[in-house]
Amino acid sequence: MTGAGIDPALLEPLARQGLTVRRREAPLTEDLLTRELRGAVAYLHGGEERATARVLRAARETLKVVAFLGVGYENFVDVAAADRLGIAVTNTRGAAVDAVATFTVAQIINAALDIPRHLGERVPGWQGSDELPHELAARSVGIIGMGANGRRIAEILRRGFGVRVSYYSRTRRPDVESDLGISCLPLLDLAAASDILVVMVPETDETRSMIDSSVIGRMPEGAILVNTARPAIVSPGALYAGLEKGRVSMAVFDGFYGAECAEAAELRRDFPDRLLVPGHIASHTAETMHRMVRQAVKSIENVLTRGSDEHEVGTRPRPRF
């Protein structure tokens, strides 16, 4: 098991099955992960390491299941390789929806009201009326991705604040449109119509750098970009240009680009007051972590005893659950 912040008591069902749980909290390189999985029957993936094809091939004699904590497994587990090897891969779909949606709406409020700029000040010191922030109900919010997280964000914004919400999604959701009174727009039209643009899609080959210069270039001047999905979905070069030209007034992330991204350092250097970047913490609440771990443990039990689990994400042949 990898990752931090996990209550050991939640792993007791595995111990009762006679399994020995080895915990590893430090990030593991490919070589270290390969060694750690030697002889393992299950891998509870709660860290930032990559379960590559090479890692999975080395563990294929014993490894039956990789239980990923979270939803966005695509960048951390080579599911195609796992399918070929007959290794089940599960995720914890649905367990973090409330936490991620709450965090995202909180960051929308932080950015829209420009709260970070005024922390610690007794007097705001407005220079003119054009600096006054807007109420959320006066803003238009566009959401890219209408999965469970996107829907919950839209629900909070519509029913809690009366915000005008539109969305773009690969799959249109007429049920959500009818229920919440929101509209579906093409991506570039959504960008043009949104004072606040929210990114809520998983990182895949198709979505990486999805928010590029064509999208940012269509945003209204002074718009806010909120990305609580993976950083790589937003092109750092396009973001830099958007901030430099004033197309983007503030950008919010949940975690940031890695040290290997030179443009990330330039963004932090040149726009320190217009980037709001906490650590990757959107889903890190006690309640969410408990739900995710319980679900992952149950998935491990199901695969080891029944041969399959309802939360599998791959396409390997398996018995009916």
Side-chain angles (χ1 to χ4, degrees), residues 176-198:
V176 179
E177 294 171 31
S178 175
D179 183 37
L180 299 180
I182 66 177
S183 57
C184 182
L185 296 173
L187 179 56
L188 295 183
D189 291 345
L190 181 74
S194 301
D195 301 305
I196 302 168
L197 190 62
V198 178

Side-chain angles (χ1 to χ4, degrees), residues 24-47:
R24 297 292 182 267
E25 294 189 3
L28 300 176
T29 64
E30 188 179 41
D31 286 341
L32 285 174
L33 182 59
T34 299
R35 287 200 291 271
E36 288 294 338
L37 289 180
R38 192 168 295 147
V41 296
Y43 168 25
L44 199 161
H45 188 314

Side-chain angles (χ1 to χ4, degrees), residues 116-125:
R117 173 183 167 193
H118 300 290
L119 291 176
E121 294 185 6
R122 296 182 57 129
V123 180

